[in-house]
Amino acid sequence: MLGTFITEWTDGFERCKQIFASEETCRKFADKMVALARYYKFDGWLVNVENHIEPEHMPQLLEFVQYLTSEMHKLDPMSKVIWYDSVIQTGKLKWQDMLNDNNRMFFDGCDGIFLNYNWNEQKLKDSVKNAGARPHDVYVGVDIFGRGCFGGGGWNTNKAMEVIRRVDLSAAIFAPGWVFEKHGAAKFIINENR
């Protein structure tokens, strides 16, 4: 089970200014995350920064990702730190829906990348090329609610999964509780096995 570190929009921007102000502050924050992982027995972290980062703070953000990964591996060599496809190398919030030169620095600094949901098959094929020897460290986002997702989600989630399998990447499923959340408890077993 991964813990999630998420920052979003204006509030996230302000928090990130504090966390990534210096190497000392970003390492201190990463150390707290490792302590949380130890206490709650997390297998790692999903790092999801969905807000702009000041360009002068980008070296600290990358240091944070690398340091967190290194420290988690000391805690548990099998741990995973996964970067969410959001901020690019300039600090701009710009989802890529693929692994490319704009987000590669984060992929190279941790154990994998969770791609945003608006991908297409060509972007996945390009991601395979860009991943080199690490294609299974590319986790393709699938939103079961179907918001912008290949195949439309819901009962058609298998369409996205077929493409992901065909190109031989990994999958990251958002909202696996969709059946219960959307259709309720009354016929849950029937719906879940549909």
Side-chain angles (χ1 to χ4, degrees), residues 166-183:
R166 185 167 50 246
V167 299
D168 200 29
L169 294 173
S170 298
I173 299 173
F174 178 78
W178 174 83
V179 171
F180 185 83
E181 292 175 40
K182 177 87 173 163
H183 298 285

Side-chain angles (χ1 to χ4, degrees), residues 34 112 149:
V34 172
C149 190

Side-chain angles (χ1 to χ4, degrees), residues 5-105:
F5 167 70
I6 185 170
T7 61
E8 297 177 296
W9 313 118
T10 304
D11 181 63
F13 174 76
E14 294 301 324
R15 290 177 192 272
C16 286
K17 277 178 28 180
Q18 296 171 5
I19 295 166
F20 306 123
S22 69
E23 183 176 324
E24 178 186 354
T25 57
C26 76
R27 284 183 172 230
K28 187 184 244 184
F29 193 80
D31 289 338
K32 294 292 185 187
M33 290 175 65
V34 172
L36 282 169
R38 180 182 302 111
Y39 184 82
Y40 288 107
K41 306 209 181 321
F42 292 164
D43 299 311
W45 288 94
L46 171 64
V47 178
N48 184 358
V49 178
E50 293 198 68
N51 50 264
H52 173 77
I53 298 290
E54 294 286 357
E56 64 267 21
H57 293 153
M58 286 303 294
Q60 290 83 258
L61 174 58
L62 182 58
E63 166 67 18
F64 167 76
V65 171
Q66 293 169 333
Y67 179 75
L68 176 62
T69 303
S70 172
E71 294 303 298
M72 284 300 301
H73 289 175
K74 289 177 188 174
L75 175 66
D76 177 0
M78 300 300 291
S79 69
K80 299 285 183 207
V81 173
I82 308 296
W83 173 260
Y84 182 69
D85 167 30
S86 52
V87 170
I88 60 172
Q89 85 279 7
T90 62
K92 187 181 270 190
L93 174 62
K94 189 172 182 186
W95 299 273
Q96 301 296 293
D97 308 308
M98 65 183 295
L99 174 60
N100 61 25
D101 289 340
N102 289 321
N103 55 24
R104 170 167 215 96
M105 63 193 268

Side-chain angles (χ1 to χ4, degrees), residues 128-168:
V128 169
K129 289 177 193 164
N130 292 329
R134 298 178 55 201
H136 296 126
D137 295 337
V138 177
Y139 298 85
V140 181
V142 178
D143 183 349
I144 307 302
F145 281 98
R147 297 165 286 202
C149 190
F150 187 94
W155 304 121
N156 292 322
T157 297
N158 63 314
K159 305 288 187 214
M161 298 302 290
E162 288 168 3
V163 174
I164 295 166
R165 176 172 272 187
R166 185 167 50 246
V167 299
D168 200 29

